[in-house]
Amino acid sequence: MSFTAADVPGQTGRTILVTGANTGIGLEAAKVLAAKGARVLLGCRDAARAQAAMERIKAATPGADLAYVALDQADIASIRRAAGQVAAEPRLDVLLNNAGVMIPPLSRTAQGAESQFGVNHLGSFALTALLLPKLAQTADARVVVTASLAHRQGRMMWDNLHAEKGYNSGRFYAQSKLANLLFMLELDRRLRAAGSPVKAIGCHPGVSLTELMRHLPSWTQSLLPLARPLFNPVAAAAWPALQAATDPQAQGGDYFGPQGIWEMRGASGKARIEKHALDRGDARRLWDLSVELTGIDPGLPEA
């Protein structure tokens, strides 16, 4: 099946938290979900940018049911506060983990992790863990984890997770996206073993020109317009996330991405997971390490 925004079923009565919803793929997903009737919580760092995003959504969908959630995934304290706010909602149907950073200069989270591993993986892990009890109260609740084609080049650098022994922005980005898939699949296994009603589902957007690419070298950015025909328009890049969040046929452990050339663009459907992302030993090791580094335990037994 090829899935687009037109295939998103009605979402009236559902509440969906979209992280990183003020721009790019997160904003596009929020627009569609609001238009379909969902209450959309926009998890963003900056209140002004979140407000601007909500105004754009309301311009397209007057009367859209929206709320801002202050969320900085580079700070566990902020994640805890955001989770508390969301847990006070009457219900939560979907956590769409979309927020992320891509190939920035070396920086660290408030807790000292390398920023890409910290924001892209540890932040999503912590927010998911804190919201699992709320999600479990709702039928067909879902955790969506956004990975990337870059997971194929990713390797877990267990002896250099925090970049004390050197930093290459591309390698650390690929590692963080591999971590996203290892986490999603391990979460799915543990949820099933625990008999939880919550599904863990993954997605990737293909290749799209979004704000994430702002850290690319200037010479690379100058060449991007030439490759534009291969890239996914931002609205289409949100289709895999929308499929993961809303497709009635989606199952726990599914992974969605564009179906066009090299999974770079096109309508969404089942995507390919690289073999090393299926390594259960790495997934368990990452899970235990994530509990240690965040101080937050999802409380799910090993599957």
Side-chain angles (χ1 to χ4, degrees), residues 126-189:
L127 184 62
T128 298
L130 291 168
L131 289 177
L132 279 177
K134 185 68 178 181
L135 286 160
Q137 297 171 11
T138 306
D140 194 32
R142 303 178 183 198
V143 173
V144 178
V145 180
T146 303
S148 166
L149 288 170
H151 90 271
R152 297 177 181 176
Q153 289 76 47
R155 296 295 184 275
M156 295 307 301
M157 296 176 281
W158 301 112
D159 64 344
N160 191 32
L161 280 179
H162 303 303
E164 295 97 337
K165 299 179 181 179
Y167 178 71
N168 176 289
S169 61
R171 289 180 182 174
F172 273 81
Y173 178 69
Q175 173 182 246
S176 74
K177 295 288 103 178
L178 171 60
N180 286 147
L181 266 181
L182 287 168
F183 167 51
M184 185 278 289
L185 293 167
E186 181 69 8
L187 177 61
D188 174 63
R189 287 188 288 267

Side-chain angles (χ1 to χ4, degrees), residues 9-230:
Q11 298 296 299
T12 300
R14 304 184 85 214
T15 298
I16 301 175
L17 170 60
V18 182
T19 68
N22 61 279
T23 189
I25 293 166
L27 175 57
E28 293 299 327
K31 282 182 184 177
V32 174
L33 294 167
K36 293 289 185 174
R39 173 169 170 77
V40 181
L41 312 178
L42 289 82
C44 310
R45 284 183 300 169
D46 187 274
R49 297 188 70 186
Q51 184 60 43
M54 289 191 286
E55 289 172 2
R56 289 180 62 182
I57 295 170
K58 288 183 177 180
T61 305
D65 187 359
L66 309 171
Y68 165 56
V69 176
L71 171 64
D72 181 357
Q73 289 204 180
D75 186 354
I76 298 297
S78 174
I79 293 170
R80 286 186 179 276
R81 289 191 294 270
Q85 178 183 340
V86 175
E89 289 280 325
R91 62 185 290 153
L92 181 65
D93 297 81
V94 180
L95 165 58
L96 203 174
N97 287 299
N98 166 77
V101 293
M102 178 179 176
I103 60 173
L106 177 60
S107 57
R108 301 192 182 280
T109 67
Q111 285 70 41
E114 183 275 323
S115 63
Q116 296 184 93
F117 182 72
V119 171
N120 298 353
H121 168 63
L122 292 177
S124 295
F125 177 92
L127 184 62
T128 298
L130 291 168
L131 289 177
L132 279 177
K134 185 68 178 181
L135 286 160
Q137 297 171 11
T138 306
D140 194 32
R142 303 178 183 198
V143 173
V144 178
V145 180
T146 303
S148 166
L149 288 170
H151 90 271
R152 297 177 181 176
Q153 289 76 47
R155 296 295 184 275
M156 295 307 301
M157 296 176 281
W158 301 112
D159 64 344
N160 191 32
L161 280 179
H162 303 303
E164 295 97 337
K165 299 179 181 179
Y167 178 71
N168 176 289
S169 61
R171 289 180 182 174
F172 273 81
Y173 178 69
Q175 173 182 246
S176 74
K177 295 288 103 178
L178 171 60
N180 286 147
L181 266 181
L182 287 168
F183 167 51
M184 185 278 289
L185 293 167
E186 181 69 8
L187 177 61
D188 174 63
R189 287 188 288 267
R190 292 184 183 232
L191 288 169
R192 289 172 186 257
S196 172
V198 182
K199 298 175 182 175
I201 303 172
C203 64
H204 79 82
V207 180
S208 186
L209 293 175
T210 70
E211 209 174 90
L212 271 182
M213 292 193 174
R214 64 186 179 276
H215 293 299
L216 287 173
S218 57
W219 67 268
T220 303
Q221 294 198 30
S222 68
L223 296 175
L224 289 178
L226 300 176
R228 189 180 294 273
L230 291 174

Side-chain angles (χ1 to χ4, degrees), residues 232-301:
N232 223 8
V234 179
W239 293 344
L242 289 168
Q243 182 172 19
T246 70
D247 185 351
Q249 305 303 316
Q251 299 298 314
D254 280 349
Y255 182 51
F256 298 109
Q259 300 299 286
I261 183 169
W262 302 320
E263 292 188 14
M264 291 177 65
R265 60 174 292 141
S268 179
K270 292 290 185 68
R272 180 169 66 88
I273 299 176
E274 201 68 27
K275 184 177 179 180
H276 57 269
L278 302 171
D279 189 310
R280 292 195 176 200
D282 277 356
R284 288 191 293 269
R285 182 176 183 181
L286 177 65
W287 184 280
D288 292 342
L289 183 63
S290 301
V291 171
E292 177 185 337
L293 292 174
T294 63
I296 299 170
D297 190 341
L300 294 171

